Amino acid sequence: MLRLCSVLVLLVLPAMAWADLHGVIRVIDADTVDVGETRVRLHAIDAPEQDQLCQTDQGADFACGAWATARVVEAFEGRRATCDHVDRDRYGRVVARCSMLGIDMGRHIVREGWAFAARAYGLDYDLDEKVAYVAGRGLHAFQLQSPTQFRQAQAKGRVPPHPSCAIKGNISDNGRVFHMPGQRFYQQTEIHEASGERWFCSEAAALRAGWRAASY
């Protein structure tokens, strides 16, 4: 009898775990929301990080990550959603397709140009991104790294923690040298703060801390 009960529990638990989600939407960023008490990563889309910048055609910086989040907040915050589980990501978050009043949230977000189709996880929104791209809608009106490239650059210490503090204080065989944006080796220089390397907000701050300017 005990063995039979155990088998029944094992059969029931997966069904419970994969039951549909229902709840009020709270937007975390343009591809992640809370549905009730559950954190949900929207399936097959990828949005800029909150601190990610884009550039206009005139070369001006634009806070596109925060902008994309704000658009999703306007569209969905406080509404009720129903989500179908697809998977769990490496952070343990539920990955799901969510809809609000019959609107596929992922499709709407990609078609409006607030996020990109994450084709590595499915082609669900491939055509929707192409529609947004042709129309030059949302993020497609700007120049930006893909969110994946941006995250990889951050992980390697190539993207500053704040756009106004972008001077790289590197330590090498040549001593403590700081690199300004636009200099020859700026892009490939990685900052490892655990090794004493630093980001600086001004040349004066770097000089005061004992770094010297790169000569090229």
Side-chain angles (χ1 to χ4, degrees):
M1 182 66 180
L2 180 59
R3 179 175 296 178
L4 177 60
C5 290
S6 299
V7 170
L8 289 173
V9 168
L10 289 173
L11 290 173
V12 170
L13 280 177
M16 293 174 60
W18 292 93
D20 290 349
L21 281 171
H22 305 269
V24 175
I25 301 165
R26 184 171 72 88
V27 175
I28 306 303
D29 58 32
D31 58 23
T32 306
V33 297
D34 285 346
V35 178
E37 300 298 318
T38 303
R39 181 64 48 90
V40 176
R41 181 69 158 78
L42 295 174
H43 171 65
I45 75 171
D46 197 13
E49 296 299 310
Q50 282 278 40
D51 57 349
Q52 188 169 346
L53 297 179
C54 305
Q55 284 74 45
T56 66
D57 289 339
Q58 292 73 38
D61 287 339
F62 175 69
C64 57
W67 173 85
T69 297
R71 301 289 77 74
V72 176
V73 168
E74 290 175 0
F76 297 111
E77 182 82 13
R79 309 290 186 89
R80 293 192 65 84
T82 299
C83 302
D84 297 322
H85 286 252
V86 175
D87 202 352
R88 283 190 180 270
D89 67 12
R90 59 178 175 165
Y91 304 108
R93 296 175 299 187
V94 170
V95 177
R97 296 183 185 88
C98 295
S99 61
M100 183 274 296
L101 296 177
I103 298 170
D104 183 316
M105 291 175 61
R107 173 161 286 113
H108 185 79
I109 290 168
V110 172
R111 188 171 280 255
E112 290 299 319
W114 305 335
F116 302 100
R119 294 175 179 84
Y121 299 96
L123 297 177
D124 306 52
Y125 309 119
D126 175 66
L127 293 178
D128 300 285
E129 183 184 301
K130 289 173 181 173
V131 168
Y133 174 79
V134 170
R137 193 176 296 148
L139 297 169
H140 300 285
F142 303 97
Q143 300 175 33
L144 72 158
Q145 284 182 308
S146 73
T148 298
Q149 290 173 329
F150 179 80
R151 287 190 291 270
Q152 289 173 343
Q154 280 191 316
K156 292 179 179 178
R158 293 182 182 174
V159 176
H162 191 278
S164 64
C165 299
I167 300 171
K168 295 181 176 181
N170 178 240
I171 301 174
S172 68
D173 294 341
N174 295 319
R176 296 171 180 253
V177 177
F178 66 85
H179 300 264
M180 302 289 294
Q183 287 189 296
R184 181 178 176 187
F185 295 112
Y186 180 84
Q187 290 295 339
Q188 68 194 62
T189 298
E190 300 175 3
I191 297 304
H192 303 284
E193 294 180 300
S195 300
E197 296 176 331
R198 295 175 55 183
W199 295 93
F200 292 101
C201 302
S202 69
E203 291 183 71
L207 291 168
R208 284 197 301 269
W211 267 259
R212 61 180 174 81
S215 57
Y216 41 78

